[in-house]
Amino acid sequence: GTNVDNVSAVLIEGTNAGSATTPDLSLYHNSSSPADGDYVGALWFYGNNSAAEQTAYAGIFGLSEDVTNATEDGAIGFVTTRGGSVATEAMRIDGSGNVGIGTDSPSSRLHVKPTVDSTNGGLRLESADGTQYATIDMNNTGNLRFYQNGTPRMRIDSSGNLLVGQTAASNTANGTYIRTGDRSGFNNTSAACVSFNRITDDGDIVEFRKDGSTVGSIGNSGSYMFLASQGPSARGVKITD
């Protein structure tokens, strides 16, 4: 049909007021030998390109993931055209409700897989005014990376080490690294590397433990620092003027 703007259109209308049944458009793939992975229907969106050629720009399709009687599963896929290439699948929702972006086999509620190993292939969070953004991605070497406005801020490397302000654990570069089951490092070229602050009352500021038991501490008494041992004699040193 044609709508009021003289543009081709299809209208499916239901006029039964109060009916629980709405108008349906059904695409039926009537196969005598159905199989898992069959495409059972599609809706394509076409338009002309600059050369007046009919081009498929996007599409939606349904497929059967499992055709076994009483255990049927279905999925829906979304197809887009990019860079003049043939339209390819960009997103899928499988029978379990998992959403895959860049993958046709999502294994979690949201599964994102970039097409290339880059810093913009993951999740992007943006401020309301569009001036600030952050991205999270996983690269091919197993690093979970966090960027702020394109600048690397933090990562968890393939060994589970946490790096802040560094891309690799280093004692010669500004930043922090916390290794799994090993020493950690806090580096700063022009200020204190670590600050521990006890608020209000005096006492231990840092505790030292061996096999879960306290063996010593560093603390304060007024404006003075003390080193204390938790051994049998419980001796310590107080540093004064």
Side-chain angles (χ1 to χ4, degrees), residues 173-193:
N174 279 344
T176 299
Y177 62 87
I178 300 176
R179 285 195 171 106
T180 303
D182 198 354
R183 69 187 184 279
S184 300
F186 305 87
N187 311 319
N188 196 315
T189 57
S190 59
C193 296

Side-chain angles (χ1 to χ4, degrees), residues 143-195:
N143 293 312
L144 178 60
R145 304 178 298 186
F146 299 80
Y147 290 79
Q148 187 178 44
N149 296 323
T151 301
R153 297 300 189 187
M154 183 175 72
R155 69 175 55 195
I156 300 174
D157 68 18
S158 57
S159 299
N161 302 320
L162 174 64
L163 310 174
V164 180
Q166 296 186 347
T167 57
S170 170
N171 287 319
T172 59
N174 279 344
T176 299
Y177 62 87
I178 300 176
R179 285 195 171 106
T180 303
D182 198 354
R183 69 187 184 279
S184 300
F186 305 87
N187 311 319
N188 196 315
T189 57
S190 59
C193 296
V194 181
S195 176

